[in-house]
Amino acid sequence: MPLLVIIGYVWPEPNSSAAGSRMLSLLQLFQQQGWQVIFASAAEKSPHRFALESIGVTEQSIALNDSRFDQWIAELQPAAVLFDRFMLEEQFGWRVAEACPEALRILDMEDVHALRHARHDAVKQQRPLQLADLNNELAMREVAAIYRCDLTLVISEYELQLLQQHYQLPANLLAYCPFWQTEPVASAPGFAERHHFISIGNFRHAPNWDAVLWLKQQLWPQIRAQLPQAELHIYGAYPPPKATALHNAREGFLVKGWVDNAEQVMRQARVCLAPLRFGAGLKGKLLQAMQCGTPSVTTPIGAEGMTIESGWAGQIAQTSSEQAAAACQLYQDAAAWQSAQQQGYHILATRFASDQAQYFWQRLQPLLIETALTRAERRASNFTGQMLQSHAYRSTRYMGQWIEAKNRKMP
């Protein structure tokens, strides 16, 4: 069995974030294709992490800036190594290239961090996003990591276009890899059986926390004024004290935090609210809402990379007043609600059906089975990648080695 080593930023938490759910899908896809998988991470094992060994994936704890990793990976000699986000490629990419030069190096972006960072800065400065904002320091690091890898997985078609058109990245270095396994749940409750609004998202993710604040300060007061009996149930992993302090039963603003079964609470809600002012990638909460037959109200950024020509599974609106009006209409109009629910099912079938995994695998498989000779020739044609792999551009390597040497000298 060919061996894949995944170097994870964190241990997967599919019930906490869309990133965790997607990583689990990637693991299972490789397993279904006959691969052995080892998941390695330097992160602490959280209480909400998925037990990977329960599905036959070996878990391996590793350390940053530690040459013992080099020996470990050299002994394994995997066929492929997947870096979970560009920061992990910076830390471990040069080690993998030296210890396992024939291994295919794959980068999973999760989302374009430079885009999310640029949008966040624009929101903080209360101004529109400008093209120049995209050329930030994160972009330089992220694009460099893409060039150094054999293939990069891009979750959103919007971001695939951005990488090719704005950053001028070669198409042969990129592969569209969205969510899959997104079939609707069986027997979703109808309009009359559902009550209240829901908002969900990991509180450690800055766009989600910003959305909660926007709900508290702007959207929910307008909705509550029209629907005084309605409640907003806010769920998410790792709620900080500043989030739980927003809980107010009298206002119907209920911060509930962690939930063991996100699907269950999503199925019970009538409308999902996702007022995201910045962010990137695909929004797992909105895909889950469509799976559960729950119409949603979100922003253009929230729906980015997920829309089709026939419309959204609810309403897309920019301002707080527009979103509040859309939310109240969906909540009260059974016909509009049912139409939005069906549109959600249509989006899932059109853009995120399970056969997307096979399309992605057909793109990846030729790279996985090519010989070492042809891989070397293809890498040689990537001059920019060679340049960025050279010693002159590997400050992270020397920083890592310096930290390791310093740690050895400490008592």
Side-chain angles (χ1 to χ4, degrees):
M1 296 175 66
L3 174 63
L4 168 71
V5 172
I6 297 180
I7 303 176
Y9 182 69
V10 294
W11 297 93
E13 296 184 19
N15 290 332
S16 299
S17 69
S21 177
R22 181 167 175 275
M23 177 56 71
L24 187 60
S25 294
L26 277 174
L27 290 168
Q28 293 172 327
L29 175 63
F30 273 89
Q31 287 183 312
Q32 290 164 7
Q33 299 296 329
W35 283 63
Q36 177 188 355
V37 182
I38 296 175
F39 190 94
S41 180
E44 293 185 4
K45 292 184 176 180
S46 70
H48 300 317
R49 72 182 182 89
F50 184 85
L52 295 175
E53 293 180 343
S54 69
I55 60 170
V57 174
T58 302
E59 297 180 358
Q60 177 67 44
S61 292
I62 55 177
L64 300 174
N65 309 308
D66 190 335
S67 59
R68 288 176 295 180
F69 172 87
D70 306 9
Q71 181 179 354
W72 174 74
I73 199 77
E75 290 174 356
L76 289 173
Q77 285 298 315
V81 177
L82 186 148
F83 306 101
D84 174 24
R85 302 171 176 87
F86 77 91
M87 300 84 79
L88 274 295
E89 189 281 333
E90 289 180 331
Q91 285 283 346
F92 293 99
W94 63 271
R95 296 182 182 273
V96 171
E98 291 190 355
C100 314
E102 295 184 7
L104 187 74
R105 297 190 295 274
I106 306 170
L107 172 62
D108 184 22
M109 298 188 78
E110 296 292 353
D111 60 28
V112 177
H113 293 66
L115 174 63
R116 174 156 42 87
H117 178 77
R119 285 171 167 170
H120 193 181
D121 276 353
V123 167
K124 287 187 289 187
Q125 296 171 28
Q126 299 183 345
R127 60 171 178 80
L129 179 74
Q130 301 173 356
L131 281 179
D133 296 331
L134 298 174
N135 301 332
N136 52 49
E137 182 182 350
L138 276 183
M140 297 178 190
R141 294 169 57 192
E142 204 163 13
V143 170
I146 293 172
Y147 271 112
R148 286 191 295 264
C149 289
D150 295 299
L151 190 68
T152 292
L153 312 185
V154 186
I155 196 171
S156 164
E157 284 185 330
Y158 173 85
E159 293 177 4
L160 185 67
Q161 184 180 40
L162 177 74
L163 292 170
Q164 292 182 31
Q165 295 184 0
H166 180 79
Y167 296 112
Q168 298 294 300
L169 278 155
N172 67 343
L173 293 181
L174 308 171
Y176 176 50
C177 181
F179 292 103
W180 53 78
Q181 298 177 346
T182 58
E183 286 74 16
V185 301
S187 304
F191 176 85
E193 301 170 83
R194 296 171 180 249
H195 307 281
H196 308 307
F197 294 85
I198 186 173
S199 182
I200 190 166
N202 192 320
F203 282 92
R204 288 180 176 174
H205 193 50
N208 293 336
W209 170 237
D210 179 78
V212 170
L213 289 177
W214 198 15
L215 281 164
K216 177 70 174 182
Q217 298 165 2
Q218 300 289 333
L219 274 71
W220 186 244
Q222 297 180 59
I223 295 172
R224 179 77 168 185
Q226 298 182 59
L227 302 170
Q229 302 304 314
E231 298 173 355
L232 172 58
H233 298 181
I234 299 175
Y235 296 93
Y238 307 107
K242 63 181 180 181
T244 54
L246 299 178
H247 181 95
N248 189 317
R250 184 176 57 83
E251 298 174 355
F253 195 90
L254 310 179
V255 181
K256 299 199 169 187
W258 170 260
V259 59
D260 290 328
N261 191 332
E263 180 184 299
Q264 182 179 7
V265 295
M266 184 65 78
R267 284 164 52 96
Q268 295 170 348
R270 186 174 291 179
V271 176
C272 174
L273 301 179
L276 298 165
R277 298 197 296 170
F278 62 95
L282 300 182
K283 313 307 180 293
K285 60 178 70 65
L286 294 172
L287 278 173
Q288 186 177 60
M290 286 187 273
Q291 286 180 277
C292 294
T294 308
S296 59
V297 176
T298 189
T299 61
I301 287 176
E304 187 176 84
M306 301 167 65
T307 57
I308 59 177
E309 290 185 3
S310 56
W312 179 245
Q315 292 289 334
I316 300 173
Q318 191 72 271
T319 68
S320 59
S321 58
E322 291 171 344
Q323 291 185 62
C328 290
Q329 182 202 14
L330 273 176
Y331 195 83
Q332 299 176 95
D333 188 336
W337 186 93
Q338 290 166 357
S339 176
Q341 183 186 67
Q342 293 304 312
Q343 178 67 6
Y345 295 151
H346 185 44
I347 291 174
L348 292 179
T350 303
R351 298 195 60 128
F352 304 107
S354 292
D355 57 7
Q356 285 284 357
Q358 294 306 315
Y359 296 146
F360 161 66
W361 190 258
Q362 290 168 11
R363 171 75 172 88
L364 180 62
Q365 191 174 30
L367 295 178
L368 294 172
I369 64 176
E370 70 180 1
T371 66
L373 178 61
T374 56
R375 184 168 299 161
E377 291 174 349
R378 183 167 47 78
R379 287 174 175 173
S381 68
N382 178 10
F383 175 78
T384 303
Q386 287 184 303
M387 176 183 68
L388 294 170
Q389 192 79 301
S390 71
H391 292 184
Y393 291 89
R394 295 301 292 164
S395 61
T396 52
R397 168 181 179 169
Y398 299 113
M399 176 61 74
Q401 290 176 324
W402 178 82
I403 292 173
E404 182 180 1
K406 179 181 177 182
N407 289 342
R408 280 201 301 264
K409 293 180 180 179
M410 293 178 65

